Amino acid sequence: MMKKVVEVIPLLLLLFFTTHATGKRYGPPEKPALTRCRSPEKETFTCWWEPGSDGGLPTTHALYYRKESSETVYECPDYHTAGENSCFFNKNDTSIWVNYNITVVATNALGRAFSDPVDIDVVYIVKPNPPEKLMVTVMEDKGWPFLRVSWEPPHKADTRSGWITLIYELRVKLEEENDWEMHLAGQQKMFNIFSLRSGGKYLVEVRCKPDHGFWSEWSSTSYIKVPDYFHREKSVWILITVFSTFIFLIITWLLHMNSHSLKHCILPPVPGPKIKGFDERLLKNGKSDDVFSALVVPNFPRASPSNYEDLLVEYLEVYVPEEQERILEESKDLHDGCLKSEISRSDSDSGRGSCDSHTLLMDKCGEAKEKERQADRESGRILTETQRHQKGWKEEAFTYAHAMVSPDMSGGRVKTWPSVFSPLPQYSSSPLDKQSSLKMAKQHSLSTSSFLTQPGNSPKEALGTSYWDSCLSNKQPHLLQPQTQVHRELQARSDVNISSVEHKRATEYVEVQRVNKEDMVLLQPVVSGCGRMEGMHKGEDYSKREDYSKVKGLDSDNRLLLQREVLEGDRCPCVDQEMTGDSCTSSTVCTTQKPTACIYTAMPVQEEMALAVNGYVDTATMGALPTC
Amino acid sequence: MAQRKNDGSKLFMTVLCMGAACSAIPISDLLDRASQRSDKLHSLSTTLTHDLDSHFPPIGRVIMPRPSMCHTSSLQTPSDKEQTLQVSESDLLSLARSLLHAWADPLVVLSASANTLPHPAQSTISNKILELQEHSKSLGDGLDILSGKMGPAAQTISSLPYSGGNDIGQDRISKLINFNFLLSCFRRDSHKIDSFLKVLRCRATKSLPETC
């Protein structure tokens, strides 16, 4: 026994010294620590611990657990399945909705160490495995590619029975990028990724999480390369651009070719001045004289309007036999050129005078006057008229002859010379030229005779009285068919002084009703009374004629004295009238066969014209009331 | 107010669904809705627990009562997957309904004590407790409708009375500890309900491999 102790002591001393020599201390193990416990499918779980220092001595670790409802301590059934420092609880050992109190004990030769206990409930520590079978494919949607990612849940997780409900999440990134694009996929196991870069290489990963647990790790990366796809939209635009450019060039070329005609179409040239004889070049030269001299038409305008004949617009051109030609020639020199009349209806450009009422009279008085003429055309009567007219020169009766020419003369255009007489107060105050008045009388007689010599004139259709404003005296109407006999008579009377009112010689005017077929001017004496204008209004036979009334003279009070004529011999003396008065009073009894004779009021007559007027006042301008 | 509205809507839904018109809605849809509700319920309880643990005295963990002391622990529930899958649908529904029903009163206590909880996140906790109550109520109503379609076995509800009273503690520590304990019990039970309903959901929708 002594020998054994003596043998052990050196060993112990050796061991002690060895220990001291190395500097190492042996001790009990340190407390281990449970790092984590996880359950991948809520059926099993694994716990891992971290051992402390082992104290230099081989230490063993043991995991002990206790379930909540019992005091029984169990040791870990499996230390190896889950690796080092782990404890794997299989299905049989795993209960859910049960608190596990787990402790790890480290044991070595010198001591033990207990870890802190951990209470876990399996349902709270679920962390599934990452999803499996990740598949990524490139698919096309109307020409645009997209990625279709599909996967499977971890095979251990029982999602079919509803034991575990997993939600998934995936992430995508380009190979050269650093940032991931996250997509939450919910419970579905498939996902589409759009907006891809043509020709890019993508990385796709997916992970899952139970409804009340932890996220799994990311699955293994899946690589996919998106093929190069041609940008269809761009190609279309390129084509369109090319075509438009082409068309544009063509149009430009066409426009250039037809620029001239287009200019004419769009911007028509402004017509320049077109004046005959106008030379623009002369303008440019600056010689206005030359320019304007070119415009001058020779013989225009007429230098001297002395010849009244030239002023005549129209001429009564009538074919007459030799007899008539002579007469016409004789009467030509009496012409004066101020009157104008419209005879031919067909003549549209007639120089109608202001007092021309040719058409009016023709329409209204034609038929009536025809009758009158018919009645008056009896030779005897006519002769009486003529004689009376002849006497009338002494009777200071003026009648105005209206030459009427039928428009339907067969001789063509009928033009009449203005009337011989000029009753308008255009004359100077000097007495009328006897010569002219004689001529006028002659003409008047001529006209009268011509009328007289036409006993049986057939009525014409439309007749009209054309009034001539005689401004000059020396015009005479064309006498279409004067009789030589009458002509001689007229010549005889040419000496009669009929110029002034005092002479009381008046040339009577004969109204020319019409021109019959035989180119005869039919005249009608105005015998039915004083010139009456009111008759016109009353619609009388002789109404609508502008009659001239004879002015007897002026009294001392500057009153115009007019003379009234009575039909068929009955005469009324002239009646004094107020110049401005409208009413007419007659101091003498005036009986008129025809009720139309009226005295018209005198218009305000200028003093100077009182005598100059050869007794004729235009009743048309007066507004007298009939008093007869 | 919101509860009244909820009651009104639920009553209307109940009346409507009690009739034949309710048969128009398939059970799978009803279960889907119920499982969504239960999921929300459990999520809320989990966040509540986390909020509470942020300022929990370490000693409280030591003297925390055991979960076996939950008033619902007497209810026999499956403890693993095989057992759960072997339970019939109506039994599962009955279990879910029993658990839910057992928490009607304790939630009231919780909400009342949440107002005076000596915790920095007291207002948040209080609001979430109220939400918890609403969800629990609506889920209970929905489960009641479901039970009508799943047979008489689903109608039975095990009574699990809560004996904790209205008072959860006098001092701050005990209040917190008791509050935490109650909440932990509720968390587990809500998880159970959720799991049961999800199992039921997948069983009812056999034609939808997407969700199950």
Side-chain angles (χ1 to χ4, degrees):
Chain A
M1 205 166 73
M2 276 299 284
K3 278 187 184 176
K4 277 184 186 173
V5 169
V6 172
E7 283 174 7
V8 166
I9 289 171
L11 271 168
L12 280 169
L13 280 170
L14 190 67
L15 196 66
F16 181 74
F17 282 127
T18 352
T19 310
H20 272 288
T22 57
K24 202 169 164 187
R25 297 278 297 263
Y26 293 112
E30 282 185 359
K31 199 164 60 172
L34 275 166
T35 55
R36 61 192 179 100
C37 294
R38 288 287 181 264
S39 168
E41 73 284 82
K42 219 169 15 175
E43 297 168 41
T44 64
F45 72 103
T46 311
C47 281
W48 292 269
W49 65 85
E50 185 67 34
S53 108
D54 58 356
L57 296 168
T59 49
T60 60
H61 293 86
L63 189 140
Y64 298 99
Y65 67 90
R66 192 166 54 85
K67 290 187 180 180
E68 71 177 40
S69 53
S70 70
E71 296 292 329
T72 318
V73 177
Y74 299 94
E75 193 178 347
C76 173
D78 188 343
Y79 286 104
H80 305 289
T81 310
E84 191 77 25
N85 296 330
S86 70
C87 177
F88 175 75
F89 295 83
N90 59 9
K91 287 184 186 180
N92 297 331
D93 298 327
T94 307
S95 300
I96 54 172
W97 296 310
V98 173
N99 264 21
Y100 279 79
N101 194 308
I102 299 172
T103 313
V104 176
V105 177
T107 312
N108 65 2
L110 293 178
R112 284 181 172 194
F114 288 87
S115 67
D116 291 331
V118 169
D119 282 318
I120 57 156
D121 196 336
V122 176
V123 293
Y124 298 143
I125 54 166
V126 181
K127 181 179 174 181
N129 293 329
E132 298 162 0
K133 296 181 187 173
L134 181 62
M135 287 199 313
V136 185
T137 53
V138 179
M139 300 187 74
E140 218 174 79
D141 171 43
K142 293 174 188 173
W144 295 97
F146 66 93
L147 291 178
R148 171 154 287 182
V149 188
S150 64
W151 58 86
E152 294 282 322
H155 66 276
K156 284 188 184 173
D158 183 12
T159 54
R160 299 302 298 274
S161 64
W163 185 240
I164 292 183
T165 309
L166 293 172
I167 57 171
Y168 303 94
E169 190 184 42
L170 53 81
R171 63 180 186 182
V172 184
K173 82 171 176 111
L174 278 164
E175 195 177 22
E176 55 270 16
E177 296 277 323
N178 289 330
D179 297 327
W180 289 91
E181 188 181 317
M182 313 295 280
H183 297 280
L184 193 66
Q187 288 186 9
Q188 61 198 41
K189 301 178 186 65
M190 182 264 294
F191 198 78
N192 296 326
I193 298 172
F194 299 94
S195 304
L196 302 173
R197 189 185 296 181
S198 168
K201 190 172 182 183
Y202 285 92
L203 283 71
V204 183
E205 288 177 358
V206 69
R207 68 175 182 179
C208 60
K209 171 176 124 46
D211 46 3
H212 307 288
F214 300 96
W215 279 105
S216 70
E217 296 296 329
W218 287 104
S219 65
S220 56
T221 311
S222 182
Y223 295 89
I224 187 77
K225 184 167 187 312
V226 179
D228 295 318
Y229 59 92
F230 192 61
H231 210 287
R232 202 182 285 175
E233 226 181 61
K234 260 188 203 166
S235 68
V236 169
W237 279 111
I238 288 164
L239 271 171
I240 289 169
T241 312
V242 167
F243 267 117
S244 338
T245 316
F246 193 55
I247 290 165
F248 177 71
L249 284 170
I250 290 173
I251 289 169
T252 311
W253 181 76
L254 280 170
L255 279 173
H256 179 70
M257 289 320 232
N258 300 334
S259 62
H260 191 65
S261 61
L262 270 175
K263 256 194 227 171
H264 269 275
C265 189
I266 294 165
L267 306 167
V270 177
K274 289 179 184 171
I275 304 171
K276 270 188 186 174
F278 194 81
D279 197 355
E280 288 177 1
R281 289 172 290 171
L282 290 175
L283 262 182
K284 286 177 192 172
N285 295 339
K287 295 175 186 176
S288 60
D289 291 340
D290 294 339
V291 171
F292 292 117
S293 65
L295 292 172
V296 174
V297 175
N299 301 327
F300 185 86
R302 296 182 192 225
S304 57
S306 58
N307 194 357
Y308 285 115
E309 291 186 11
D310 297 333
L311 295 178
L312 282 177
V313 177
E314 292 169 349
Y315 292 81
L316 182 64
E317 295 171 356
V318 175
Y319 172 75
V320 294
E322 292 180 352
E323 260 186 348
Q324 293 167 353
E325 280 178 354
R326 273 193 291 119
I327 293 164
L328 283 170
E329 284 178 12
E330 285 176 5
S331 58
K332 255 191 188 176
D333 52 356
L334 297 174
H335 292 169
D336 228 340
C338 93
L339 300 182
K340 48 188 176 5
S341 67
E342 163 73 6
I343 298 166
S344 169
R345 199 189 277 163
S346 60
D347 183 11
S348 62
D349 189 19
S350 63
R352 285 183 192 248
S354 57
C355 55
D356 178 40
S357 56
H358 161 71
T359 311
L360 179 69
L361 287 169
M362 281 168 60
D363 291 337
K364 292 174 183 173
C365 314
E367 291 182 1
K369 286 169 185 173
E370 282 181 17
K371 293 176 188 173
E372 286 293 328
R373 270 177 264 113
Q374 290 293 339
D376 293 340
R377 268 170 213 145
E378 294 181 2
S379 339
R381 189 171 161 148
I382 291 164
L383 285 168
T384 311
E385 288 288 333
T386 311
Q387 286 166 6
R388 188 175 69 78
H389 285 169
Q390 290 171 5
K391 291 176 190 174
W393 291 1
K394 302 172 186 175
E395 293 164 352
E396 310 166 3
F398 280 80
T399 53
Y400 193 67
H402 308 280
M404 284 174 56
V405 178
S406 161
D408 56 352
M409 283 177 58
S410 56
R413 285 193 73 186
V414 177
K415 296 177 188 174
T416 56
W417 288 103
S419 168
V420 173
F421 297 99
S422 56
L424 293 180
Q426 294 177 8
Y427 282 78
S428 59
S429 57
S430 61
L432 282 172
D433 185 19
K434 287 187 181 178
Q435 182 72 15
S436 60
S437 61
L438 278 172
K439 289 178 182 174
M440 282 157 61
K442 195 202 302 187
Q443 290 172 1
H444 212 55
S445 307
L446 275 171
S447 59
T448 309
S449 337
S450 63
F451 176 78
L452 293 172
T453 52
Q454 302 296 330
N457 294 325
S458 58
K460 289 293 178 182
E461 316 166 11
L463 298 172
T465 313
S466 58
Y467 288 90
W468 292 327
D469 294 333
S470 57
C471 48
L472 298 173
S473 60
N474 295 327
K475 292 295 172 189
Q476 76 179 106
H478 281 272
L479 302 173
L480 302 179
Q481 196 175 8
Q483 300 275 344
T484 49
Q485 184 182 5
V486 174
H487 179 65
R488 288 189 207 112
E489 284 182 351
L490 288 168
Q491 294 287 351
R493 288 186 222 114
S494 62
D495 295 332
V496 179
N497 187 4
I498 54 169
S499 60
S500 63
V501 174
E502 284 84 10
H503 290 266
K504 312 251 169 154
R505 297 262 186 197
T507 52
E508 293 185 350
Y509 288 85
V510 180
E511 187 177 321
V512 177
Q513 293 293 330
R514 61 192 164 119
V515 175
N516 62 358
K517 282 180 183 172
E518 295 137 15
D519 296 337
M520 294 188 294
V521 176
L522 306 176
L523 305 175
Q524 181 181 9
V526 181
V527 269
S528 53
C530 324
R532 50 197 105 86
M533 182 181 157
E534 284 65 30
M536 277 170 62
H537 297 307
K538 288 185 180 173
E540 290 240 336
D541 298 337
Y542 301 97
S543 64
K544 299 160 187 170
R545 274 186 325 194
E546 293 179 358
D547 293 337
Y548 290 82
S549 59
K550 294 188 273 187
V551 175
K552 186 179 176 185
L554 283 173
D555 64 352
S556 58
D557 295 334
N558 288 335
R559 284 186 296 183
L560 201 65
L561 306 176
L562 300 178
Q563 190 167 14
R564 183 201 309 177
E565 275 209 340
V566 182
L567 292 172
E568 298 178 0
D570 287 342
R571 299 262 168 84
C572 339
C574 289
V575 178
D576 290 356
Q577 292 176 359
E578 292 296 328
M579 280 168 55
T580 54
D582 290 342
S583 64
C584 70
T585 58
S586 69
S587 56
T588 56
V589 175
C590 213
T591 57
T592 52
Q593 298 282 332
K594 297 197 175 175
T596 59
C598 293
I599 299 170
Y600 34 80
T601 56
M603 62 185 182
V605 178
Q606 300 170 10
E607 290 178 342
E608 56 204 28
M609 297 190 323
L611 295 176
V613 178
N614 52 354
Y616 289 89
V617 179
D618 190 359
T619 59
T621 61
M622 292 166 55
L625 297 172
T627 54
C628 304
Chain B
M1 280 287 275
Q3 236 179 342
R4 259 192 221 164
K5 229 194 261 181
N6 216 358
D7 290 347
S9 64
K10 282 301 163 191
L11 185 66
F12 174 74
M13 215 176 91
T14 309
V15 168
L16 195 66
C17 285
M18 283 307 179
C22 212
S23 60
I25 306 173
I27 292 174
S28 58
D29 284 345
L30 289 169
L31 280 167
D32 192 39
R33 294 183 205 181
S35 59
Q36 285 175 16
R37 277 285 158 88
S38 64
D39 190 282
K40 181 68 179 165
L41 202 65
H42 181 70
S43 303
L44 269 172
S45 66
T46 306
T47 53
L48 260 173
T49 310
H50 290 324
D51 292 342
L52 213 61
D53 281 345
S54 63
H55 282 83
F56 198 70
I59 192 150
R61 301 187 192 283
V62 176
I63 59 174
M64 181 89 83
R66 286 185 175 183
S68 58
M69 296 197 54
C70 288
H71 69 284
T72 55
S73 58
S74 58
L75 190 64
Q76 290 291 321
T77 55
S79 54
D80 64 1
K81 176 187 158 188
E82 284 78 15
Q83 289 177 16
T84 310
L85 293 178
Q86 285 169 5
V87 179
S88 68
E89 288 122 10
S90 36
D91 288 340
L92 278 172
L93 189 62
S94 171
L95 285 170
R97 287 184 69 214
S98 306
L99 284 168
L100 199 61
H101 193 77
W103 277 101
D105 294 333
L107 277 174
V108 175
V109 172
L110 269 175
S111 109
S113 58
N115 296 329
T116 58
L117 197 67
H119 197 273
Q122 176 265 328
S123 60
T124 314
I125 288 164
S126 177
N127 291 336
K128 284 182 180 167
I129 294 285
L130 285 171
E131 255 186 274
L132 224 59
Q133 273 182 299
E134 286 174 22
H135 283 287
S136 172
K137 186 75 171 54
S138 65
L139 181 62
D141 297 337
L143 288 180
D144 290 341
I145 294 162
L146 262 172
S147 66
K149 297 174 171 271
M150 295 178 79
Q155 306 279 351
T156 58
I157 296 177
S158 306
S159 172
L160 304 161
Y162 174 66
S163 57
N166 290 335
D167 188 17
I168 59 167
Q170 302 300 324
D171 57 315
R172 177 178 165 271
I173 302 288
S174 58
K175 272 187 183 179
L176 283 170
I177 290 166
N178 289 337
F179 196 89
N180 205 353
F181 172 70
L182 267 175
L183 214 53
S184 66
C185 290
F186 181 76
R187 189 186 173 201
R188 176 186 285 181
D189 289 339
S190 62
H191 192 275
K192 282 183 184 175
I193 295 164
D194 187 43
S195 299
F196 295 156
L197 289 174
K198 282 175 180 171
V199 168
L200 281 172
R201 177 176 71 173
C202 274
R203 275 201 208 165
T205 61
K206 283 174 187 159
S207 57
L208 288 173
E210 276 269 328
T211 50
C212 295

